[in-house]
Amino acid sequence: MQDAITAEYSGPPKLNYLNNGFTLKSWLLTKDHKRIAIMYLITVSLFFMAGGLYASAIRLELLTPASDLLQTGTYNKVFTQHGILMIFFFLIPSIPAVLGNFILPIMIGAKDLALPRINLLSLYIYWVGGAFTVWALLQGGVDTGWTFYTPYSTTFSNTYVMAVGLGIFINGFSSILTGLNFIVTVHTMRAPGMTWFRLPLFVWAQYATSLVMILGTPVIAITVLLLAIERFARVGIFDPTIGGDPILFQHMFWFYSHPAVYIMILPGMGVISELISNFSRKKIFGYEFIAFSSIAIAVFGFLVWGHHMFVSGQSVYAGLVFSFLTMVVAVPSAIKMFNWTATMYKGSISYDTPMLYGIGFMGLFLIGGLTGLFLGAIGLTVHLTDTYFVVAHFHYVMVGGQVIAYLGGIHYWWPKMTGKMYSEFWGKISAMLVFVGFNLTFFPQFILGYMGMPRRYSYPPEFQVLNIFSTAGASVLGVGLILPLIYLTQSLISGKAAGDNPWMLPGLEWRTSSPPPTENFDVMPVVTWEAYEFGEESGLDLEGARANESVRTV
Amino acid sequence: MSSHSETGKFHYHEPGLQHQFEDMGQQEESVSIGMWMFLVQEIMFFGGLFTAYLVFRSKYPMAFAAGSNHLDAFWGGLNTLVLIVSSLTMALTVYYAQKSNRNMQVIMILLTMAFGATFLGVKTIEYRDKFNHGLVPVQGWNKRIKAETNAEHETKPCWEVDHNAPAIEHPNPRGEFQWTDCSLVKKAQDEGYLTNAEKIGYFSNGEIDANKFRDKVRIFYYLYFVMTGLHALHMIVGLALMTWLLIVAWRGSFSEDYYMPVEMSGLYWHFVDIVWIFLFPLLYLLGRHFMHGG
Amino acid sequence: MQTNSWVPLFPEQASTFAWQVDLLYLYLIVISVAFTIPIVVAVFLFALKYREKEKFASGAEIHGSMVLEAGWSFLPFVISMTIFLGGAVVYYNQYKMPEDAMQVYVVGKQWMWKIQHETGQREINELHIPVNRKVKLTMTTEDALHDFSIPAFRTKADVVPGRYTYLWFEANKPGKYHLFCAEYCGLNHSGMGGYVYVMEQSDFDNWLEGNVSGQTPVEQGRDLFENKLGCASCHAGGPQQRGAKLEGIYGKDVHLVGGGTVTANDEYIRNSILNPGSQVVEGFQPIMPTFKGQVTEEQLVSLVAYIKSLSGITGSTSTSQPASNSAANSGSNARTNSNTMTPRRADRGQGNTPGSNPNAPGPANR
């Protein structure tokens, strides 16, 4: 049976999800999770490019202490919009809505997500929210910082806070519905034999992420709604002049936005678990520990929001409790780190592009995670908070973590998504450029932060040297990020056929054709092997593949 | 391959089975978990509002009591009753759907809709009342009354304004939020149970400041309108759901084999009821004892 | 600890608890390195040693190890607890307010720090304090959130509207240190900063008596304009500035809100500094605070001299005018209809009746 699935198919092109309809309608009204994922991929990439342009503007402006490229007002808008686009419209949907949407149902052997119409609705909500936000940005933008702190955002800003707030409010429901869909799908749509502890760790990570999405996103939704109402009605609970409480906004905002940080890293951790294990061709070390640490992070993530507010006037005791819990939440991440490292021990490691991203992630996330400890140690954070140390830390986690993992995931599943193989040479070059450029950009910012350079600021002249390093690094990073756009597009046109299972991996997604048919599997799969099973039980025809490989390489 | 397509064909004839599922059991489980997850996120959504309510109620209990006392507990109680009964009719709708009783289904859905509409009608009356009394917290959204009429209440200290007297029409040419009665503050001050926030929040230079107290009552009404407004919005969505159910039930599509949409709409309807069960005491009842013997 | 190297790594240590923060920082760096090196070495070793020997060969059958898992759950927990305790101790030292401190009052305002000493001296964007003496700041803000941050003292605190926040420190090294606003507060957030001057007690006493160094009036005026009074945060020019551009203004006619024109001469400039709301230039909001009581007559002279120098005019011609002209000034005030200036922010205020908004900026309540 296995042979029938994986054997090379010769004959007229097989019907797959890409070629079973070419009309616009067949895309816009599709209920196929794979097509929806592709549409997400395109939109998310556009937002990433827009956010990247803003980032370039920021780095260029910060070349010099004076505001000579951008005027202060423009600069404020640029960093705000960089944050809003990157966080709400790129990072949060990136791995869940693109990779999760595409691969999660296939990984568990389902024909589709449990609620395909909801999935399409979620895409449309994302588009509407995005369009709304882009419209507001084109009208004049917003200058409050992505955190929308009151009372500046409610009372003093003269920009399009209400419109952008509503855009984020709308977009939130896209995230909620995606999370809801994943939870239902993991519960009810697993193929026969796919028990909870045979699930790939990517699925566990997505499940944990979905919990955060469902429990956290509604809170930010109501918070930005209250913000928008307050701006519109000119009365509200955040206005200190009538007895309202601007700090309450911060509590409500971070109650979501701290867990949202885990929306922006857990899926990345899931991808890395896949990459490390699969490219070491070895069962992952401590499967249960990685799976449960994801859930632990999701749960504890809801208890630490106050560490964003150490200096905002909350009580000393609240600060201490939040600092303690922050230290606790560091432990599951450390467990993951150790398990990934141990997975490589006695593996059979191959260095394909996705694995390079995987190893890069480990290095960057290590720094990102450890600097998180700096920021959790309350006495130190008083000095560090609101400085570039924070900026560097969260970029290490979000870019070094999620974006690297996202790129790794894209490269990993690209053959499955498109049926085409990209240029391995350029893939490796770009992975290394991203790694080097990233460190050059953000490592100097740790030092700047400790020196006291505040975020969202121009700076005194003595900080210029490090800022020049940072900008120089950003240009390397920029090149590293543009390259994939080119060679991945090129692979669509002239890439060689990838085959159904180019790396001979045991996951269910590699046991269907590339690209997969509309209902994912020709035959309902029955799972008889554990996750990451590379031995006999996996039923993979390794000898045949090796023979094929030698033919191909000769 | 062949066995799969045969089973697929066999199941395809079940009414309402979607392509991605193997059988009705799987579909029902999925839809049910999905609905519960949706309700979980709804709880978190309203949770943010309840948190805001709790924060400000514990900060300014007298302002909240004053605002709350001005809401009409009769209308609120009536609405509570209406919603509880509508929950019963909703539950009966599910019951008759499971019994494949088309006529009773239609009747029960119509009854549920009638109760829902009654609720919204009462809510409209209440909102109108707030508009007339100048209690909408947004400037310009209140009834405008010319400044010449009836300005003698300006002369009394605010705690001597009699809250039992027939409502005085305060001049309100700009449609501003109106609140003059701060007898509760006076009472709390005399009996010594003002909170620390209140001692700062209602007073200027040691004197009760009617304007500052008004601002806190305004926060109460702001929360009242946001909370009940969002709840009413959920009721409207519920009525739209009911309309759709009515059409499908009228066609006789629901039966003991296929009643998930009815059950799920029922869950939603009950949830909206439960939110009201919390809103009613918090907004209408808490703090009544401060004024009515306590 | 200030190094003269090309790339500075540490800010100066200038307060009594700076060394504690630095020590904690170093401890964390040591821990980070202690974690990073083994992991990075392991990854590299494994990457080299376990490189695939044969295509698609599978790795060893290892599923996990309870002992290892328990170990590397427990160890990070213990270490993170030491970090927590270290952080808590340092934090406690920073937040236990001293009883015997010198009091300073700070008000944040878009975009300047207004500081007042117990002895009555006011400063803007500058804080002069004596060395080796505990200083406690009591802070609030007139508008948005701000954050009073002095990296050299390793401390900062948000400034929140509607409540007081506190900050204390004891500087132990004379010098001039950066003061930043670390909480984003709008357009000129970057400009909202200045310096903290830590002085020997005797110098501080001198400063309290108002002794000024020997600068020319124009230099003094520039110093006042750019640093001490923070005029530049609104008047430095540029299309988005909230205040009028002053380059080349001297001697020209300016159009006022509510009609009328005046010539921008010495007395107009002086009047605009002391009674900013009385003659507002067309196109601007009446939001400038009065500086009456904060600038001495000498400083006024310097400021006028500096503003004149912006128009290319040097030499002070009319230092003795102000007193004799104030009567004439008030006369012109009446003509230019000062009633049209309502103390309201453009985008706000309609929702509140007068009096309910104590923050409404304007000449009336400054």
Side-chain angles (χ1 to χ4, degrees):
Chain A
M1 181 176 117
Q2 199 57 51
D3 294 4
I5 302 170
T6 50
E8 296 270 335
Y9 186 88
S10 55
K14 200 167 171 260
L15 206 58
N16 62 46
Y17 82 100
L18 287 170
N19 65 8
N20 71 351
F22 294 96
T23 58
L24 194 61
K25 194 180 149 203
S26 75
W27 279 89
L28 291 182
L29 294 181
T30 185
K31 281 179 266 169
D32 184 350
H33 66 102
K34 297 180 289 298
R35 287 194 161 202
I36 293 173
I38 295 296
M39 287 188 277
Y40 264 118
L41 173 65
I42 294 165
T43 326
V44 153
S45 307
L46 289 176
F47 276 117
F48 183 63
M49 282 184 248
L53 285 178
Y54 282 128
S56 325
I58 294 172
R59 276 321 326 163
L60 284 176
E61 162 60 35
L62 289 179
L63 263 179
T64 56
S67 40
D68 31 22
L69 178 69
L70 305 170
Q71 279 163 352
T72 43
T74 319
Y75 178 73
N76 293 343
K77 285 182 180 172
V78 165
F79 72 68
T80 301
Q81 287 156 201
H82 167 70
I84 288 172
L85 290 188
M86 284 300 199
I87 286 172
F88 294 109
F89 296 96
F90 171 69
L91 280 169
I92 288 179
S94 64
I95 294 186
V98 178
L99 297 175
N101 239 334
F102 193 97
I103 221 72
L104 184 133
I106 311 184
M107 275 185 149
I108 63 173
K111 288 184 202 165
D112 202 326
L113 283 172
L115 310 165
R117 277 181 294 194
I118 300 279
N119 196 22
L120 185 64
L121 176 65
S122 153
L123 172 69
Y124 276 95
I125 293 176
Y126 173 63
W127 278 349
V128 171
F132 208 84
T133 308
V134 168
W135 172 80
L137 297 192
L138 292 179
Q139 285 299 302
V142 61
D143 73 342
T144 57
W146 80 275
T147 47
F148 295 105
Y149 271 13
T150 53
Y152 182 71
S153 58
T154 44
T155 309
F156 298 101
S157 175
N158 281 321
T159 52
Y160 288 75
V161 180
M162 198 161 80
V164 174
L166 286 177
I168 290 169
F169 174 77
I170 296 168
N171 183 49
F173 289 96
S174 159
S175 178
I176 291 171
L177 292 179
T178 303
L180 184 152
N181 219 335
F182 285 175
I183 289 189
V184 175
T185 306
V186 175
H187 272 277
T188 64
M189 303 293 281
R190 283 169 287 124
M194 180 56 92
T195 60
W196 279 88
F197 288 100
R198 283 177 177 169
L199 287 175
L201 287 166
F202 180 69
V203 177
W204 274 98
Q206 286 294 341
Y207 187 83
T209 311
S210 304
L211 284 177
V212 179
M213 283 172 159
I214 285 194
L215 294 173
T217 317
V219 180
I220 190 78
I222 190 69
T223 310
V224 291
L225 186 66
L226 284 171
L227 183 81
I229 295 175
E230 180 153 347
R231 257 188 98 80
F232 171 74
R234 295 177 182 282
V235 56
I237 56 171
F238 303 130
D239 181 355
T241 57
I242 63 163
D245 189 350
I247 303 295
L248 179 66
F249 175 85
Q250 295 182 26
H251 279 290
M252 290 172 77
F253 180 83
W254 289 115
F255 181 83
Y256 163 75
S257 292
H258 190 77
V261 171
Y262 298 113
I263 298 180
M264 296 179 244
I265 189 62
L266 276 171
M269 292 170 160
V271 172
I272 296 309
S273 302
E274 294 294 312
L275 297 182
I276 300 289
S277 179
N278 280 323
F279 286 92
S280 300
R281 304 196 67 77
K282 183 167 163 286
K283 198 164 270 183
I284 195 141
F285 195 91
Y287 175 96
E288 290 85 355
F289 284 87
I290 297 188
F292 283 122
S293 64
S294 292
I295 305 290
I297 289 173
V299 173
F300 278 104
F302 276 101
L303 305 177
V304 297
W305 78 89
H307 69 212
H308 295 267
M309 303 163 58
F310 281 155
V311 298
S312 67
Q314 69 181 0
S315 82
V316 176
Y317 302 102
L320 291 174
V321 169
F322 280 122
S323 171
F324 173 78
L325 289 166
T326 305
M327 290 299 158
V328 173
V329 83
V331 176
S333 304
I335 294 176
K336 279 178 192 281
M337 203 69 219
F338 289 124
N339 278 307
W340 290 326
T341 314
T343 302
M344 290 173 73
Y345 175 68
K346 289 201 171 170
S348 168
I349 308 167
S350 58
Y351 298 101
D352 300 293
T353 308
M355 184 60 170
L356 291 191
Y357 279 108
I359 295 176
F361 174 98
M362 286 172 72
L364 299 180
F365 181 71
L366 190 62
I367 299 176
L370 285 167
T371 49
L373 290 178
F374 287 61
L375 292 169
I378 184 164
L380 187 52
T381 309
V382 171
H383 174 55
L384 291 177
T385 191
D386 285 322
T387 68
Y388 259 72
F389 197 93
V390 177
V391 175
H393 160 71
F394 70 68
H395 278 92
Y396 262 88
V397 177
M398 290 181 191
V399 183
Q402 182 93 332
V403 177
I404 296 276
Y406 174 69
L407 287 172
I410 290 281
H411 284 86
Y412 176 49
W413 285 301
W414 188 258
K416 184 54 61 184
M417 293 166 94
T418 63
K420 295 293 173 61
M421 204 50 153
Y422 46 83
S423 155
E424 187 63 32
F425 171 76
W426 285 109
K428 281 179 175 147
I429 295 282
S430 117
M432 284 188 257
L433 280 181
V434 168
F435 184 81
V436 172
F438 178 83
N439 278 307
L440 279 177
T441 310
F442 290 103
F443 201 85
Q445 295 183 3
F446 283 125
I447 303 167
L448 281 172
Y450 200 75
M451 292 294 297
M453 178 177 162
R455 63 194 289 203
R456 301 166 173 175
Y457 223 65
S458 59
Y459 53 86
E462 63 259 37
F463 297 152
Q464 190 170 7
V465 176
L466 286 167
N467 272 293
I468 290 176
F469 272 127
S470 188
T471 302
S475 57
V476 179
L477 180 60
V479 173
L481 290 174
I482 289 169
L483 274 180
L485 197 69
I486 298 168
Y487 65 76
L488 288 180
T489 316
Q490 185 262 338
S491 81
L492 289 180
I493 302 157
S494 58
K496 60 175 190 248
D500 292 345
N501 195 354
W503 292 294
M504 290 313 285
L505 300 173
L508 267 184
E509 75 267 34
W510 301 110
R511 295 172 193 250
T512 181
S513 46
S514 302
T518 298
E519 292 205 334
N520 294 342
F521 297 95
D522 297 332
V523 178
M524 163 72 99
V526 177
V527 182
T528 55
W529 56 89
E530 300 300 313
Y532 313 110
E533 178 61 67
F534 287 89
E536 290 294 307
E537 297 87 339
S538 69
L540 293 173
D541 177 20
L542 295 175
E543 287 305 321
R546 245 173 247 139
N548 251 339
E549 187 76 13
S550 57
V551 170
R552 226 183 282 170
T553 46
V554 166
Chain B
M1 184 88 187
S2 57
S3 68
H4 174 68
S5 59
E6 265 175 32
T7 51
K9 212 169 260 172
F10 172 72
H11 283 298
Y12 204 67
H13 288 287
E14 285 194 48
L17 180 70
Q18 290 170 7
H19 76 100
Q20 72 272 26
F21 298 113
E22 293 302 309
D23 54 48
M24 279 313 274
Q26 192 187 20
Q27 173 165 335
E28 282 170 10
E29 198 188 347
S30 300
V31 173
S32 171
I33 295 177
M35 192 64 203
W36 281 107
M37 287 296 133
F38 180 76
L39 296 185
V40 166
Q41 79 83 21
E42 286 279 10
I43 289 172
M44 296 305 291
F45 187 79
F46 278 100
L49 283 175
F50 281 112
T51 309
Y53 174 90
L54 286 177
V55 167
F56 286 103
R57 147 122 190 137
S58 53
K59 239 175 147 175
Y60 308 121
M62 286 306 116
F64 273 51
S68 170
N69 277 316
H70 199 86
L71 294 177
D72 196 327
F74 168 73
W75 286 122
L78 179 69
N79 257 350
T80 312
L81 198 67
V82 164
L83 274 193
I84 289 176
V85 177
S86 83
S87 260
L88 173 70
T89 56
M90 187 68 235
L92 285 173
T93 313
V94 180
Y95 172 77
Y96 286 117
Q98 286 167 340
K99 295 278 171 211
S100 310
N101 185 337
R102 171 181 168 272
N103 290 346
M104 284 308 281
Q105 266 179 64
V106 170
I107 291 173
M108 285 303 155
I109 294 174
L110 282 172
L111 273 177
T112 313
M113 288 177 73
F115 285 126
T118 311
F119 177 91
L120 288 174
V122 170
K123 209 75 234 155
T124 316
I125 295 172
E126 288 190 81
Y127 281 180
R128 216 187 122 68
D129 185 59
K130 303 293 162 287
F131 168 81
N132 286 335
H133 287 98
L135 292 175
V136 182
V138 183
Q139 190 195 30
W141 285 22
N142 286 296
K143 191 173 178 183
R144 291 167 194 241
I145 301 163
K146 283 206 184 98
E148 295 83 59
T149 58
N150 221 341
E152 67 265 35
H153 71 281
E154 302 276 352
T155 54
K156 279 191 196 169
C158 63
W159 55 87
E160 282 174 22
V161 174
D162 183 4
H163 61 84
N164 286 323
I168 308 165
E169 289 205 317
H170 306 305
N172 196 0
R174 291 169 62 194
E176 281 174 276
F177 181 79
Q178 296 281 304
W179 190 271
T180 45
D181 175 6
C182 43
S183 51
L184 272 182
V185 186
K186 188 72 183 158
K187 194 174 167 208
Q189 189 192 19
D190 293 342
E191 295 171 22
Y193 50 84
L194 285 171
T195 66
N196 283 333
E198 288 180 308
K199 284 174 192 162
I200 300 166
Y202 305 157
F203 291 82
S204 294
N205 306 322
E207 291 286 320
I208 296 174
D209 185 330
N211 285 339
K212 287 180 85 175
F213 185 65
R214 181 204 56 214
D215 283 341
K216 311 306 180 278
V217 178
R218 200 170 164 201
I219 288 183
F220 172 81
Y221 275 99
Y222 172 80
L223 283 170
Y224 165 80
F225 273 99
V226 173
M227 292 170 103
T228 56
L230 278 175
H231 178 261
L233 204 65
H234 278 77
M235 289 293 296
I236 292 169
V237 171
L239 282 181
L241 265 178
M242 289 297 136
T243 315
W244 172 72
L245 275 190
L246 184 67
I247 294 166
V248 184
W250 184 264
R251 291 194 197 129
S253 301
F254 297 126
S255 66
E256 55 198 304
D257 295 325
Y258 177 61
Y259 56 86
M260 267 331 251
V262 190
E263 196 172 331
M264 293 304 109
S265 310
L267 276 179
Y268 176 82
W269 192 266
H270 295 317
F271 170 79
V272 178
D273 283 4
I274 289 169
V275 171
W276 180 258
I277 300 295
F278 281 92
L279 285 179
F280 173 61
L282 287 183
L283 294 173
Y284 288 77
L285 300 182
L286 273 186
R288 287 192 88 75
H289 62 282
F290 287 122
M291 201 172 278
H292 304 283
Chain C
M1 218 160 190
Q2 175 76 325
T3 50
N4 292 323
S5 67
W6 188 45
V7 178
L9 297 177
F10 282 90
E12 247 175 303
Q13 274 185 347
S15 76
T16 46
F17 45 67
W19 67 269
Q20 298 174 2
V21 176
D22 283 350
L23 196 67
L24 188 61
Y25 182 60
L26 287 173
Y27 173 62
L28 270 150
I29 289 178
V30 169
I31 289 195
S32 302
V33 172
F35 266 87
T36 309
I37 286 183
I39 290 184
V40 169
V41 167
V43 167
F44 267 93
L45 267 183
F46 297 161
L48 291 176
K49 189 163 175 207
Y50 303 114
R51 204 182 166 132
E52 63 179 359
K53 309 278 185 308
E54 185 193 11
K55 202 77 195 159
F56 305 137
S58 39
E61 279 278 322
I62 305 170
H63 294 191
S65 150
M66 207 55 206
V67 178
L68 275 178
E69 298 286 354
W72 65 45
S73 306
F74 184 67
L75 187 73
F77 180 74
V78 171
I79 292 176
S80 69
M81 283 305 108
T82 64
I83 299 170
F84 163 68
L85 284 177
V89 169
V90 174
Y91 181 72
Y92 187 72
N93 289 340
Q94 286 183 29
Y95 273 75
K96 200 178 52 181
M97 291 294 159
E99 300 285 316
D100 52 342
M102 173 182 139
Q103 297 282 338
V104 176
Y105 300 93
V106 177
V107 177
K109 175 187 183 316
Q110 284 172 331
W111 294 278
M112 59 175 82
W113 293 109
K114 299 199 288 187
I115 291 163
Q116 189 171 18
H117 292 265
E118 255 182 328
T119 43
Q121 279 79 4
R122 292 170 186 270
E123 350 180 28
I124 287 182
N125 288 342
E126 282 190 354
L127 172 62
H128 288 77
I129 50 166
V131 72
N132 295 331
R133 178 125 167 247
K134 293 192 178 90
V135 178
K136 181 181 174 188
L137 308 183
T138 303
M139 308 188 291
T140 189
T141 160
E142 290 178 9
D143 36 47
L145 296 171
H146 303 286
D147 186 298
F148 198 87
S149 160
I150 312 164
F153 297 170
R154 310 286 188 276
T155 193
K156 66 163 69 74
D158 273 15
V159 180
V160 184
R163 62 169 84 169
Y164 291 107
T165 51
Y166 306 93
L167 192 64
W168 83 271
F169 43 77
E170 181 181 343
N172 56 6
K173 190 172 161 193
K176 177 183 173 188
Y177 307 106
H178 280 295
L179 161 66
F180 294 124
C181 171
E183 188 69 80
Y184 176 68
C185 58
L187 185 63
N188 273 342
H189 167 57
S190 296
M192 185 168 168
Y195 292 97
V196 176
Y197 294 89
V198 179
M199 313 163 106
E200 296 294 350
Q201 186 67 45
S202 56
D203 294 342
F204 182 70
D205 293 339
N206 260 340
W207 177 82
L208 280 183
E209 282 158 26
N211 289 354
V212 198
S213 59
Q215 293 170 306
T216 68
V218 172
E219 283 166 358
Q220 271 181 36
R222 176 187 287 124
D223 192 32
L224 289 166
F225 188 84
E226 288 175 353
N227 304 319
K228 296 210 170 84
L229 298 176
C231 315
S233 71
C234 294
H235 287 290
Q240 298 192 40
Q241 291 286 359
R242 303 205 299 183
K245 192 177 171 218
L246 301 177
E247 277 84 356
I249 200 173
Y250 190 81
K252 303 270 161 56
D253 286 347
V254 289
H255 298 275
L256 300 179
V257 170
T261 334
V262 284
T263 308
N265 54 12
D266 291 13
E267 79 195 54
Y268 172 70
I269 293 170
R270 179 193 149 87
N271 186 45
S272 294
I273 295 169
L274 298 180
N275 303 305
S278 63
Q279 293 173 310
V280 179
V281 179
E282 214 167 58
F284 293 91
Q285 293 292 322
I287 51 173
M288 177 169 160
T290 176
F291 285 82
K292 195 177 263 171
Q294 293 182 51
V295 284
T296 60
E297 286 296 332
E298 290 82 0
Q299 288 174 325
L300 269 171
V301 169
S302 322
L303 271 174
V304 172
Y306 172 65
I307 292 166
K308 280 163 79 173
S309 78
L310 292 175
S311 310
I313 300 163
T314 47
S316 63
T317 47
S318 52
T319 48
S320 61
Q321 268 189 359
S324 59
N325 272 314
S326 55
N329 254 337
S330 53
S332 71
N333 277 354
R335 277 204 310 279
T336 54
N337 190 7
S338 59
N339 288 337
T340 54
M341 263 71 78
T342 44
R344 282 176 180 272
R345 194 170 287 277
D347 60 332
R348 178 80 191 166
Q350 291 188 346
N352 296 321
T353 50
S356 72
N357 186 357
N359 281 6
N365 48 11
R366 276 305 120 84

